[in-house]
Amino acid sequence: MPGFIRTNEPDRATALDRHLPIQPPADIISESEYFEHTKPPEYLPKIEQQVDEFVNRHNGKRRIAVVTSGGTTVPLENNTVRFIDNFSAGTRGATSTEQFLENGYAVIFLHREFSLLPYSRHYSHTTNCFLDFMEEDENGKVVVRETYQKNMAETLKKYRHAKDKGLLLLVPFTTVNQYLYTLRLLARELKPAEPSKVLFYLAAAVSDFFVPSSRIAEHKIQSTGTGKLVIDLDPVPKFLRRLVETWIPGAMIISFKLETDEKLLLSKCRQALQRYGHQLVIGNLLQTRKHEVVFVTEKDAVPVRLSQDQIDDAVEIESVFIPKVIHRHSDYIDSKVQELQPL
Ligand code: 9Z3
């Protein structure tokens, strides 16, 4: 069961390797060098088995989306007490996954352990504790309160459908290293009959910097001494190019770009497209991400915004823009079919 893989425990025995060459801090190392110098999470073979079963069940029968969600951590110590985190509750990824499932996709949900999950998110991290949705009836049986019955019945139906048909695979990560290794594994294991029917939808907030295994402190960093803590981080290699070119060529790849300065957003989205050569970047600002996103391609930049009425009605922006993503995915599949046809 995917739920039983725990990703937030340090790998005490094997993570630390002082024999590895020390990398110069300011160099951007290549992806292959990264994987040579950083050990894989020990649970990876278990995930491989689950992914194989999932792929055998769905490959060729329906489109598959790999949705990444939540923030990655960068441990500062091998026996991790302190870590650097990236902002993301997992709302974007979990909400989008529900939309993909309702539109016939099978979804591998690569998510930060304990962040929001599709369907359960409606009850797990709300202002209400899940117990607030329950009450005791006159016979002493615990039941769902009348006000929540309708919504919960609808959510339950969709959740059961996804679960009973094996349409949703939950794959957890905590650290950026676990994320990178698992993403590569997923791309390699998918081996799709028709790669264009696979969609990578990268909504996770991935660290740009990390502490390489050759430099990480083994034990909790002590505060005695100078009193200062100077953290020396290396850049995380740009793995997106590998994903596009060698891990799963032909799949449709959508990445998100998060900025806080509006002036930078479009240029950063375009820069990502040029660097990695993938199909679509969805730009969003931290401050307005729930109401507004922008679809950026080589050709144009198309904003998607909720109206004031939609905001007042608590419409989720993913329910507006995921149908547009799916439409673009259909166009992409068609374009690949045409490429194959003889002139
Ligand atoms: C996003 O931009 C997501 O939309 C959010 C969603 C993290 C803002 P929440 O989970 O937030 O709903 O709370 N994700 C991508 C962030 C990211 O790290 N992108 C990388 C970058 O900007 C490229 S993969 O360089």
Side-chain angles (χ1 to χ4, degrees):
M1 289 290 288
F4 291 114
I5 291 169
R6 284 280 167 254
T7 61
N8 62 348
E9 285 287 310
D11 184 355
R12 288 189 185 83
T14 61
L16 199 67
D17 191 347
R18 299 285 181 210
H19 297 101
L20 292 171
I22 293 184
Q23 295 142 16
D27 268 12
I28 297 186
I29 60 162
S30 71
E31 306 79 2
S32 46
E33 236 177 298
Y34 176 88
F35 289 112
E36 265 166 45
H37 291 163
T38 319
K39 288 191 170 139
E42 42 76 36
Y43 58 76
L44 215 54
K46 270 197 207 165
I47 291 185
E48 187 173 338
Q49 203 186 335
Q50 292 166 5
V51 173
D52 279 350
E53 284 168 19
F54 187 84
V55 170
N56 288 337
R57 198 175 317 132
H58 300 297
N59 213 347
K61 296 198 188 83
R62 50 186 62 77
R63 297 181 190 182
I64 297 179
V66 174
V67 175
T68 72
S69 183
T72 62
T73 70
V74 171
L76 299 184
E77 298 131 343
N78 188 40
N79 293 285
T80 312
V81 177
R82 277 71 158 252
F83 55 87
I84 301 174
D85 208 345
N86 255 59
F87 166 85
S88 169
T91 318
R92 179 80 82 221
T95 312
S96 303
T97 295
E98 292 175 14
Q99 293 289 325
F100 283 123
L101 288 167
E102 279 148 45
N103 284 281
Y105 283 71
V107 180
I108 301 179
F109 187 64
L110 177 59
H111 66 284
R112 165 75 174 274
E113 194 175 344
F114 306 125
S115 66
L116 292 179
L117 294 177
Y119 303 119
S120 75
R121 75 183 171 99
H122 300 278
Y123 307 101
S124 59
H125 295 47
T126 59
T127 42
N128 280 345
C129 155
F130 78 95
L131 291 170
D132 291 325
F133 294 97
M134 323 283 198
E135 64 187 4
E136 248 183 71
D137 71 5
E138 59 279 11
N139 303 318
K141 269 199 169 168
V142 176
V143 292
V144 171
R145 285 192 168 163
E146 188 52 39
T147 34
Y148 303 114
Q149 285 285 346
K150 193 165 167 278
N151 276 346
M152 204 181 270
E154 276 166 23
T155 308
L156 184 66
K157 206 158 123 195
K158 292 176 190 163
Y159 169 75
R160 281 267 161 252
H161 173 78
K163 197 152 189 185
D164 295 348
K165 298 257 180 283
L167 291 166
L168 176 62
L169 178 65
L170 302 178
V171 179
F173 66 80
T174 295
T175 66
V176 66
N177 185 50
Q178 293 168 338
Y179 172 84
L180 291 177
Y181 262 104
T182 315
L183 187 72
R184 185 176 72 158
L185 172 95
L186 293 177
R188 287 175 163 181
E189 286 307 304
L190 273 163
K191 289 187 216 86
E194 292 168 278
S196 65
K197 292 203 171 159
V198 173
L199 175 68
F200 273 75
Y201 176 91
L202 307 170
V206 183
S207 326
D208 285 326
F209 304 100
F210 77 117
V211 187
S213 329
S214 57
R215 287 213 309 270
I216 197 164
E218 182 169 9
H219 291 293
K220 183 178 168 227
I221 299 168
Q222 294 300 311
S223 57
T224 44
T226 66
K228 268 192 181 182
L229 173 61
V230 179
I231 302 171
D232 182 7
L233 301 171
D234 280 10
V236 168
K238 301 292 177 198
F239 62 92
L240 241 169
R241 174 167 286 287
R242 277 296 147 107
L243 180 67
V244 176
E245 287 180 358
T246 48
W247 295 350
I248 185 157
M252 180 164 182
I253 293 171
I254 301 178
S255 70
F256 276 79
K257 181 51 93 186
L258 175 63
E259 290 298 337
T260 56
D261 181 350
E262 197 175 355
K263 292 193 287 299
L264 292 181
L265 185 62
L266 278 181
S267 60
K268 293 295 235 168
C269 291
R270 292 200 174 106
Q271 189 187 63
L273 274 180
Q274 274 162 10
R275 267 196 188 154
Y276 310 122
H278 57 310
Q279 285 70 41
L280 175 66
V281 175
I282 303 182
N284 56 178
L285 291 171
L286 183 71
Q287 305 88 324
T288 56
R289 68 191 191 286
K290 291 192 192 274
H291 302 157
E292 187 171 345
V293 297
V294 57
F295 281 27
V296 182
T297 61
E298 275 193 330
K299 281 206 315 263
D300 54 15
V302 183
V304 182
R305 288 189 192 97
L306 291 183
S307 66
Q308 193 52 52
D309 282 352
Q310 287 174 311
I311 296 174
D312 295 342
D313 289 347
V315 170
E316 292 177 315
I317 191 166
E318 291 79 7
S319 70
V320 178
F321 79 72
I322 292 296
K324 296 178 196 292
V325 166
I326 293 174
H327 191 79
R328 285 178 188 237
H329 190 200
S330 303
D331 287 349
Y332 179 77
I333 296 169
D334 290 347
S335 74
K336 291 287 160 188
V337 172
Q338 272 160 24
E339 271 175 28
L340 292 175
Q341 261 154 25
L343 290 172

